[in-house]
Amino acid sequence: MSDAQQRLVDESEIRRIRRLWAFARDQGDWDTVATLFHPNAPVSISWYNGNAEGFVENSRKLFGHNKPETRSKHWFGNDRLTLNGNRALLETDVEVRARDMIDGVLFDFTYEGRFFDRFEKRNGGWKIAQWTCLYDADKVAPAVPGTIPQGFFDGLMLSGVESRIAYMRFRQKKMNRPGVPVIIGGTAEEAKLREDAARWLRQATT
């Protein structure tokens, strides 16, 4: 196999793993999700900051307590893949759609962002070595128009950088989920993440 052919195979496999993660996660197939990460891969998302094993364990518990009206989906758009030997960076546009009943009102939440992944090939197989979500914007709408009580969102921070995740924070608080620091798109935290990732990529074994 030529170098060009091998590169196409590697790129296809990396994207396949990320897509499989989304499908398995949304279906609650946590055994499959667990196979897509390298051991102790760091995970940083809206409600969890730790390693992949902890993410899978906590996700399994949360999924088991979902109410019948609760559901969520991950939709992927454009991506950018940078490959260097046994390492790769994959940045993917993502939209997360979630439906939840909050204080008797059924809401549809939408989060727009990007998955920023480090992939590494070990023992001949690609897996996720680090996963971070960059958050760009969010919005919310009632599933049934006109059902939001007056003043329901009073006090919500809708200015400044944190306004990009105001509804996410609101949903977390109402669902008693832990609030953790999140990386918001276009900030110094994102710039630092990219610098560290670029340095890591340059150190790949070719």
Side-chain angles (χ1 to χ4, degrees):
M1 185 181 299
S2 69
D3 289 345
Q5 289 173 323
Q6 183 62 57
R7 186 180 188 87
L8 288 174
V9 170
D10 289 336
E11 290 178 348
S12 177
E13 177 63 5
I14 290 168
R15 290 188 171 104
R16 183 193 72 83
I17 291 170
R18 182 33 93 187
R19 290 194 301 269
L20 178 58
W21 176 94
F23 187 87
R25 182 264 171 226
D26 291 344
Q27 298 302 314
D29 182 2
W30 303 113
D31 290 340
T32 295
V33 171
T35 68
L36 305 177
F37 291 91
H38 285 302
N40 294 312
V43 171
S44 182
I45 56 176
S46 65
W47 61 272
Y48 178 81
N49 193 8
N51 62 27
E53 291 82 358
F55 164 75
V56 171
E57 179 183 355
N58 282 276
S59 296
R60 196 189 300 269
K61 292 177 182 176
L62 289 172
F63 198 85
H65 290 97
N66 278 351
K67 298 177 181 178
E69 65 272 12
T70 299
R71 60 185 61 87
S72 62
K73 286 280 188 180
H74 291 72
W75 297 96
F76 290 157
N78 300 320
D79 68 47
R80 178 171 58 188
L81 176 59
T82 307
L83 183 65
N84 183 29
N86 67 330
R87 292 183 175 180
L89 298 177
L90 176 65
E91 185 173 0
T92 309
D93 285 337
V94 60
E95 184 176 271
V96 184
R97 304 176 188 174
R99 171 166 288 189
D100 291 295
M101 182 74 75
I102 295 178
D103 293 348
V105 181
L106 192 61
F107 285 102
D108 289 323
F109 293 87
T110 303
Y111 309 128
E112 298 174 5
R114 289 157 287 139
F115 282 177
F116 191 84
D117 298 314
R118 297 185 188 188
F119 274 81
E120 191 164 10
K121 191 175 188 179
R122 302 176 190 172
N123 300 317
W126 287 100
K127 290 187 180 183
I128 301 168
Q130 181 175 341
W131 166 35
T132 305
C133 190
L134 304 166
Y135 296 92
D136 295 319
D138 65 0
K139 59 186 177 181
V140 65
V144 180
T147 55
I148 301 179
Q150 187 174 1
F152 196 84
F153 291 111
D154 283 357
L156 212 62
M157 185 181 296
L158 295 176
S159 62
V161 174
E162 279 283 316
S163 66
R164 301 186 192 181
I165 56 170
Y167 295 112
M168 176 192 298
R169 295 291 200 197
F170 173 85
R171 176 172 175 259
Q172 287 177 325
K173 184 177 180 179
K174 287 290 186 177
M175 298 179 71
N176 294 315
R177 290 189 174 181
V180 300
V182 298
I183 296 179
I184 303 173
T187 62
E189 287 80 5
E190 178 179 347
K192 179 64 164 55
L193 178 75
R194 291 184 177 281
E195 290 174 6
D196 291 344
R199 187 179 308 110
W200 174 84
L201 185 66
R202 289 194 297 269
Q203 296 170 349
T205 301
T206 58

